[in-house]
Amino acid sequence: MPALSRSACVALDASDPIRHLRDEFALPEGIVYLDGNSLGARPRAAAARAAQVVEVEWGRGLIRSWNDAGWWELSVRLGDKLAPLIGAGPGEVVVTDNISVNLYKLLSVALAVQAERDPARRVVVSERRNFPTDLYIVEGLLRQLGGGYALRLVDSPDEIAEAVGADTAVLLLTQVNYRTGELLDMPSLTALAHERGALAIWDLAHSAGAVPVDVRGADADFALGCTYKFLNAGPGAPAFAWVPARFQDRPQPLSGWWGHAAPFAMEPAFRGAPGIRRFLTGTQPIVSLALVECGLDPFLRTDMATLRAKSLALTDLFIQLVEERCAGHPLTLVTPREHARRGSQVSLEHPEGYAVMRALVERGVIGDYREPRILRFGFTPLYLGFADTWDAVEALRDVLEARAWDAPRFRERAAVT
Amino acid sequence: MPALSRSACVALDASDPIRHLRDEFALPEGIVYLDGNSLGARPRAAAARAAQVVEVEWGRGLIRSWNDAGWWELSVRLGDKLAPLIGAGPGEVVVTDNISVNLYKLLSVALAVQAERDPARRVVVSERRNFPTDLYIVEGLLRQLGGGYALRLVDSPDEIAEAVGADTAVLLLTQVNYRTGELLDMPSLTALAHERGALAIWDLAHSAGAVPVDVRGADADFALGCTYKFLNAGPGAPAFAWVPARFQDRPQPLSGWWGHAAPFAMEPAFRGAPGIRRFLTGTQPIVSLALVECGLDPFLRTDMATLRAKSLALTDLFIQLVEERCAGHPLTLVTPREHARRGSQVSLEHPEGYAVMRALVERGVIGDYREPRILRFGFTPLYLGFADTWDAVEALRDVLEARAWDAPRFRERAAVT
């Protein structure tokens, strides 16, 4: 069956039950934004909230706002608000720091747990194609620990089963790959880790808010992720960490005063706070942190099943339209076709991927580029529609047909690509 | 000589050469704000800057703002802007994370340097009365390192000399004590550490922007501090770390992707960036980070010598007025009288300190309280004047004379005190 016409896409938008949620986002005119997997669009509410925090809470409330405006409770309160999106319970999630720092904490605890259970387990297994910061943090921590710890990288998910063995302490995986958009099976890979005596840490950077996640249902051990992608919390907004109750009483190494049982008693010795609060480090950036709530609120007006159904419909449509309308151009689909293995993005390889994306952005279709040769298109069903998808493919077709990408200004590399 | 009259204070304000800088801050009517040592007041420019980052850079620029709005460079650019305030050079300071996380990085590097020079040096010396998060982070790191590392705490600065010996790796001190306002002599204590073979790490949380600091002149080894106190950068704004060139090529354990030599090459192995950038972890909270600049800009229109002279005049006046006008009440001066040993705050002990401060705040004089029994009054010469100081003492006198503090609502403890 041929893909839909643009007017059929417009009709689909008109009957989309969550079409109105788009109005909660401030999208610039004339732009199709397909980079919500890197930086989510701005919720309209964020402007007023930022003004309130800066002008009223900070400006007028001053120091009193730590109590009166609830700043002190934000990390934990927002963690509870985020929790349902990943299948976590109350008191299990905290919004704080960034992924790199949070992974350092969680992996430290996981390795300490394993050192008690079986000191021979000193290997962390992950994917070579994992988002690099995860691998870099493993390196940093293992260097610190010394003593025979090692990182073992596999080249593809197929190799995970044979890589996890009697020497493995932790299986560290990202549920949706940042480059390919491939979605891993969290329940079965966690079960595999557990069968072999390893703990499973899941990075949800590209899955929280993008696909239904159930950390409890999958029996995962730890999880973390960021809020500025599909959760639309703003540039560099603090990340989140999930620690189930069974690991919450463990010491974590970045034991700053926000994780103390009585932070204002100013005791010289550390006593960890009960619960998830122990995974806080020190003072958090309140303005950025407060905006996380503006990103989470739209999710209260829908559910992940609805969002997932629309996300798959959008990415299906995108794939089909590209294959029909851009046929004859050297585009290769990188993202799995199977729904069960696809996140909320579509990646295409093109020999001139970088220049193609630059030319496309100039035409108002904003995706991004990742080495090597990958065009990434993220689909955020909260604010993207079917006609947007049609228009994006049409712009891509145009760029390819006219060889618009073949210009020096598109080939020159920017600092951040 | 008796202290000044209020009209003499008004005259001093009128002839104050930096009086106009007060206009750069949005202070609420009817408030005397003496808590800039905990959370600096809001620069007026912060409201427009927050709106620009949220509405224009995030909302319209979207992902393009990482390049176009300079987000990617903010941590390093703001570090260079902050550097002169602490006597650091360009490329030596980065604004990132919080004090707890930054101390973990710097102390890790310092201990690694010492482990190479002399593995017998495994003691960190600090003050028991240091701000607790510094001690908690030492604990967390030493637990992680295992192997005979220890923290040695002294009860007063007088004991530092005998505590630093052949087993000492690092002397970790805070230049201005958060509770007493006592200013330590950075050059001589650093020299002492070096004579005994130890490295010196300085926490500048209560000195950056409050007193002239010269980390290079003092030959310090590492320094860090926060931006939300005397630097007026906003609630929980990211902290700073100073690492001189001689230590910049060392690995630090929180080696996230922002510290990689080629972050967008997405290499699986870590290669540290040259220079101070290596001390970055991962993505930073851009809205909060951008506001740091609004806090730093007013310092460009004066200098630390001018600010220090006014700060000492204000704290001298405050001490003298309290001693004259509140005589007969059980107030004890905790902060040193000698200028060379005083930061930019005055602490007073009162048996009912908590309730006294609550009553004072209700009258519009905002200081804060620290265990045990300490009333803290911070003096930010950028926005405080002599008449403010006079009014604050008058309110304190009033609260004490009328025993206004002796009410149940002032004795009940708030969550954050």
Side-chain angles (χ1 to χ4, degrees):
Chain A
M1 195 174 70
L4 301 170
S5 64
R6 190 175 194 284
S7 58
C9 289
V10 170
L12 273 181
D13 284 332
S15 62
D16 173 5
I18 57 168
R19 177 71 175 173
H20 59 285
L21 292 178
R22 176 193 191 92
D23 300 334
E24 300 199 19
F25 293 86
L27 289 157
E29 278 298 305
I31 291 287
V32 178
Y33 194 58
L34 297 173
D35 211 4
N37 53 318
S38 185
L39 173 63
R42 174 170 83 76
R44 284 190 194 281
R49 184 79 183 102
Q52 160 143 21
V53 176
V54 171
E55 294 174 43
V56 180
E57 294 178 11
W58 175 19
R60 286 185 230 157
L62 291 159
I63 193 69
R64 298 167 291 196
S65 289
W66 282 107
N67 281 311
D68 299 350
W71 290 349
W72 184 252
E73 294 302 322
L74 263 180
S75 285
V76 171
R77 185 170 68 75
L78 294 175
D80 283 342
K81 198 161 194 171
L82 189 154
L85 295 176
I86 61 165
E92 296 180 348
V93 178
V94 76
V95 180
T96 188
D97 301 320
N98 56 39
I99 285 193
S100 302
V101 170
N102 286 330
L103 178 56
Y104 192 89
K105 295 180 239 179
L106 302 189
L107 184 58
S108 292
V109 173
L111 292 176
V113 167
Q114 293 290 48
E116 280 177 23
R117 289 182 184 169
D118 178 358
R121 292 185 177 273
R122 301 204 161 200
V123 171
V124 177
V125 172
S126 193
E127 284 195 82
R128 192 180 310 282
R129 55 176 213 160
N130 197 346
F131 188 76
T133 214
D134 289 5
L135 307 182
Y136 302 162
I137 287 291
V138 177
E139 263 195 64
L141 175 57
L142 299 193
R143 186 189 313 107
Q144 187 91 306
L145 293 176
Y149 280 99
L151 172 61
R152 178 179 301 148
L153 298 178
V154 299
D155 288 324
S156 97
D158 303 338
E159 298 170 19
I160 292 170
E162 69 181 304
V164 178
D167 62 357
T168 306
V170 171
L171 175 60
L172 167 65
L173 294 172
T174 297
Q175 193 185 13
V176 175
N177 187 273
Y178 75 101
R179 188 193 272 134
T180 65
E182 178 173 357
L183 170 66
L184 298 183
D185 183 338
M186 188 188 293
S188 74
L189 287 164
T190 301
L192 173 96
H194 289 176
E195 276 160 28
R196 315 251 166 116
L199 295 173
I201 303 180
W202 287 92
D203 180 339
L204 310 176
H206 290 263
S207 42
V211 300
V213 180
D214 188 359
V215 290
R216 280 181 158 200
D219 196 24
D221 296 298
F222 299 89
L224 72 170
C226 73
T227 64
Y228 53 76
K229 297 178 184 291
F230 288 96
L231 297 177
N232 309 306
F240 66 87
W242 171 70
V243 181
R246 66 185 180 278
F247 296 126
Q248 288 182 355
D249 61 346
R250 294 274 172 170
Q252 59 91 356
L254 295 164
S255 49
W257 71 303
W258 275 37
H260 194 278
F264 288 91
M266 304 287 168
E267 300 170 2
F270 188 76
R271 281 192 298 131
I276 190 67
R277 202 175 281 275
R278 186 175 299 195
F279 287 82
L280 295 172
T281 58
T283 312
Q284 291 299 301
I286 295 300
V287 185
S288 285
L289 182 58
L291 299 184
V292 173
E293 188 149 30
C294 303
L296 295 176
D297 281 341
F299 288 91
L300 300 177
R301 294 181 270 285
T302 180
D303 57 78
M304 285 308 305
T306 303
L307 290 169
R308 176 64 169 165
K310 182 173 169 189
S311 159
L312 287 171
L314 290 171
T315 53
D316 276 346
L317 174 67
F318 184 81
I319 291 168
Q320 192 180 358
L321 284 170
V322 165
E323 291 183 338
E324 280 183 22
R325 301 182 65 81
C326 305
H329 294 285
L331 286 169
T332 310
L333 179 65
V334 172
T335 304
R337 281 177 203 276
E338 305 97 289
H339 285 182
R341 292 180 54 221
R342 189 196 306 162
S344 197
Q345 90 184 44
V346 177
S347 297
L348 301 169
E349 191 171 328
H350 186 284
E352 297 289 344
Y354 183 80
V356 170
M357 183 51 75
R358 295 285 301 271
L360 201 52
V361 168
E362 198 176 84
R363 279 164 203 234
V365 174
I366 303 180
D368 66 17
Y369 173 78
R370 282 293 175 265
E371 296 291 350
R373 299 178 299 280
I374 304 278
L375 304 163
R376 289 200 308 181
F377 301 94
F379 290 81
T380 298
L382 283 170
Y383 53 74
L384 272 174
F386 295 90
D388 296 328
T389 303
W390 202 95
D391 293 343
V393 177
E394 191 60 13
L396 176 62
R397 194 185 67 83
D398 226 50
V399 163
L400 295 172
E401 293 285 318
R403 288 182 66 89
W405 53 266
D406 195 7
R409 75 179 188 285
F410 295 136
R411 292 168 174 274
E412 188 194 328
R413 295 296 175 108
V416 181
T417 58
Chain B
M1 195 172 71
L4 301 170
S5 64
R6 189 174 195 284
S7 59
C9 289
V10 170
L12 274 181
D13 285 334
S15 63
D16 174 6
I18 57 168
R19 177 72 175 173
H20 59 284
L21 292 178
R22 177 193 189 92
D23 300 335
E24 300 200 18
F25 293 85
L27 290 157
E29 278 297 306
I31 291 287
V32 179
Y33 193 59
L34 298 173
D35 211 4
N37 53 319
S38 186
L39 173 64
R42 174 170 84 76
R44 286 191 193 282
R49 183 78 182 103
Q52 163 149 18
V53 176
V54 171
E55 294 174 43
V56 180
E57 294 178 12
W58 175 18
R60 286 185 231 157
L62 290 160
I63 193 69
R64 297 166 292 195
S65 289
W66 281 108
N67 281 312
D68 298 350
W71 290 348
W72 182 253
E73 293 301 323
L74 262 181
S75 284
V76 171
R77 186 171 67 75
L78 294 175
D80 282 343
K81 199 162 194 171
L82 188 153
L85 294 176
I86 60 165
E92 295 180 348
V93 178
V94 75
V95 179
T96 188
D97 301 319
N98 56 38
I99 285 194
S100 302
V101 170
N102 286 330
L103 178 57
Y104 192 90
K105 296 180 239 178
L106 302 189
L107 183 59
S108 292
V109 174
L111 292 177
V113 168
Q114 293 288 48
E116 280 178 23
R117 289 182 185 170
D118 178 0
R121 291 186 177 272
R122 299 204 164 199
V123 171
V124 176
V125 173
S126 193
E127 285 194 80
R128 192 180 311 280
R129 54 176 216 162
N130 197 346
F131 188 76
T133 213
D134 288 6
L135 307 182
Y136 302 161
I137 286 292
V138 177
E139 262 194 64
L141 175 57
L142 298 193
R143 186 190 311 107
Q144 188 89 305
L145 294 175
Y149 279 99
L151 172 61
R152 178 180 300 148
L153 297 178
V154 299
D155 288 323
S156 98
D158 303 339
E159 299 170 18
I160 293 170
E162 68 181 305
V164 178
D167 61 358
T168 307
V170 171
L171 175 60
L172 166 64
L173 294 172
T174 296
Q175 192 185 13
V176 175
N177 187 273
Y178 76 100
R179 187 193 272 135
T180 64
E182 178 171 358
L183 170 66
L184 297 183
D185 183 339
M186 189 189 292
S188 75
L189 287 164
T190 302
L192 172 96
H194 290 176
E195 278 160 27
R196 315 252 167 116
L199 295 173
I201 303 180
W202 287 92
D203 180 339
L204 310 176
H206 289 263
S207 42
V211 299
V213 180
D214 188 359
V215 290
R216 280 181 157 199
D219 197 24
D221 296 298
F222 300 89
L224 72 169
C226 73
T227 64
Y228 53 76
K229 297 178 185 289
F230 288 96
L231 297 176
N232 308 307
F240 66 87
W242 171 69
V243 182
R246 66 185 180 278
F247 296 126
Q248 288 182 356
D249 62 346
R250 294 274 171 169
Q252 59 91 355
L254 295 164
S255 49
W257 72 302
W258 275 37
H260 194 278
F264 289 91
M266 304 288 169
E267 300 170 1
F270 188 77
R271 281 193 296 131
I276 190 66
R277 201 175 281 277
R278 185 175 300 195
F279 287 81
L280 294 171
T281 58
T283 312
Q284 291 299 302
I286 295 300
V287 185
S288 285
L289 182 59
L291 299 184
V292 173
E293 188 148 29
C294 303
L296 295 175
D297 281 341
F299 288 92
L300 300 176
R301 293 182 271 286
T302 179
D303 57 77
M304 284 310 303
T306 302
L307 290 169
R308 176 64 169 164
K310 183 174 170 188
S311 159
L312 286 171
L314 291 171
T315 51
D316 277 345
L317 175 67
F318 184 80
I319 291 169
Q320 192 180 357
L321 284 170
V322 165
E323 291 184 339
E324 280 184 21
R325 302 182 64 81
C326 305
H329 294 285
L331 286 169
T332 310
L333 179 66
V334 172
T335 304
R337 280 177 205 276
E338 304 98 291
H339 285 180
R341 293 181 53 221
R342 190 194 307 162
S344 197
Q345 91 185 43
V346 177
S347 297
L348 302 169
E349 192 172 326
H350 185 284
E352 297 289 345
Y354 183 80
V356 170
M357 183 51 76
R358 295 286 300 272
L360 201 53
V361 168
E362 198 176 83
R363 279 165 203 234
V365 175
I366 303 181
D368 66 16
Y369 172 79
R370 281 294 175 267
E371 295 293 350
R373 299 178 299 280
I374 304 278
L375 304 163
R376 290 200 309 182
F377 300 94
F379 290 81
T380 298
L382 283 170
Y383 53 75
L384 272 174
F386 294 89
D388 295 327
T389 304
W390 203 93
D391 293 342
V393 177
E394 190 61 12
L396 177 61
R397 194 184 66 81
D398 226 49
V399 162
L400 295 174
E401 294 286 318
R403 289 182 66 89
W405 53 266
D406 194 8
R409 75 180 189 284
F410 294 136
R411 291 167 174 276
E412 189 194 328
R413 296 297 177 108
V416 180
T417 59

